Amino acid sequence: FSWSPDSRWLAFVKEDEIRTNDIWLVHLGEGDEAIQPGTPLNVTDHPGFNYNPQWLPDGSKLLFRSNRYRNRDIETINHRGRFALFTVPLEEEKEVLDEDPPSPKRDEKPEKQPVRVTVQPREIERRARQLSAFEEGITAASVSPDGKTVVLVGRTLGRGDLWQIGVDGKGLQRLTTSGESPSRFQWAPDSSRFYYLSGGAVKWMARGGGASGTVGFTVRMEIDRLVDYRAAFDEAWQILNDGFYDR
């Protein structure tokens, strides 16, 4: 599950009757939205597998992995289990008018407003758009705190590597060629770099690649051998007592 930036919505994965998975939203704030508090909304509503919902920091979209794909404008299931990356806008697309408000001048900084997530439920399941896909799927992805970049693990030729792409689906860039394939990422608060586990080490890489390194640390551990031996004996006895054939 994943909390919205304003802490009023919860995105979660739920298995349905045919044992596939969809992403749902539930509103936990006050009753001033199109969806009543506590009433779940199926965001994906697709007979496939949809996982790992993540909110963009501005609350405008959800990022998720899915094994759906489009074939001649018909969405169906990728039975090989290859997951692509999708985004779904939570509000309906607004019509662009000729008379747009003027953009602020360069020397003027727009006042930062607190994030408030708005969900418009009408046909939300039809809004999902593919952000990126690989021949052998995407196994992990994470959006940066500034909402501009997604770092992901894309698999090709039998192994995974780190890639990044803009949240608008542009600028796909390969970051590693060494077979890095972590299961999750942790971004620095300023979005300048991200961290991940690989080969038993904590590694970091700058956004856009280039600079990278390993985080060094030391851990001290004390072991009580008597406690270890007692735990091993109890575990062995439990297996014999509960599972041996003479019972």
Side-chain angles (χ1 to χ4, degrees):
F1 64 89
S2 178
W3 283 100
S4 65
D6 62 357
S7 301
R8 298 187 313 120
W9 298 82
L10 185 66
F12 61 95
V13 177
K14 179 184 177 184
E15 185 177 279
D16 57 25
E17 295 82 0
I18 58 175
R19 309 200 72 175
T20 57
N21 298 80
D22 277 308
I23 294 172
W24 294 69
L25 284 179
V26 62
H27 179 219
L28 301 175
E30 299 176 354
D32 58 349
E33 302 286 345
I35 305 172
Q36 292 299 316
T39 303
L41 170 67
N42 192 335
V43 176
T44 50
D45 197 13
H46 189 278
F49 295 92
N50 306 277
Y51 292 112
N52 310 122
Q54 298 180 50
W55 296 82
L56 264 62
D58 63 0
S60 63
K61 296 179 181 179
L62 274 177
L63 180 80
F64 66 97
R65 293 190 309 124
S66 176
N67 68 338
R68 70 179 72 189
Y69 70 98
R70 185 174 291 278
N71 181 15
R72 294 183 181 178
D73 294 327
I74 299 176
E75 282 195 339
T76 183
I77 302 174
N78 182 348
H79 291 285
R80 296 183 180 181
R82 296 172 181 173
F83 285 81
L85 200 60
F86 290 80
T87 58
V88 55
L90 300 180
E91 295 186 66
E92 298 181 63
E93 295 182 357
K94 298 179 180 179
E95 184 180 355
V96 179
L97 302 177
D98 295 335
E99 298 180 0
D100 291 330
S103 58
K105 298 179 181 179
R106 292 185 179 180
D107 57 348
E108 296 179 357
K109 293 184 178 180
E111 184 179 353
K112 188 175 182 180
Q113 300 294 330
V115 174
R116 184 176 178 84
V117 175
T118 301
V119 178
Q120 295 176 339
R122 189 172 71 91
E123 296 187 340
I124 191 172
E125 71 280 357
R126 296 177 176 265
R127 299 181 207 155
R129 296 293 180 267
Q130 182 175 292
L131 187 70
S132 184
F134 285 77
E135 291 181 5
E136 298 174 18
I138 294 174
T139 58
S142 179
V143 62
S144 61
D146 63 6
K148 296 179 179 179
T149 306
V150 178
V151 63
L152 56 90
V153 177
R155 293 188 58 84
T156 57
L157 301 177
R159 73 176 190 178
D161 265 307
L162 301 184
W163 299 69
Q164 77 171 37
I165 191 171
V167 294
D168 57 359
K170 300 178 181 179
L172 181 65
Q173 178 185 355
R174 188 169 192 164
L175 302 179
T176 64
T177 57
S178 55
E180 300 282 2
S181 187
S183 60
R184 63 181 60 186
F185 303 93
Q186 182 67 49
W187 283 88
D190 63 357
S191 301
S192 62
R193 62 173 64 179
F194 57 88
Y195 297 82
Y196 60 95
L197 288 174
S198 179
V202 180
K203 297 184 178 181
W204 65 270
M205 179 173 290
R207 176 160 64 177
S212 61
T214 301
V215 178
F217 62 92
T218 301
V219 177
R220 183 179 180 86
M221 181 172 63
E222 295 182 0
I223 299 176
D224 189 327
R225 293 297 182 187
L226 290 178
V227 174
D228 271 5
Y229 295 154
R230 188 178 296 113
F233 176 84
D234 290 343
E235 184 177 347
W237 168 243
Q238 184 178 7
I239 293 174
L240 288 173
N241 188 46
D242 295 342
F244 201 53
Y245 66 89
D246 64 347
R247 287 182 59 82

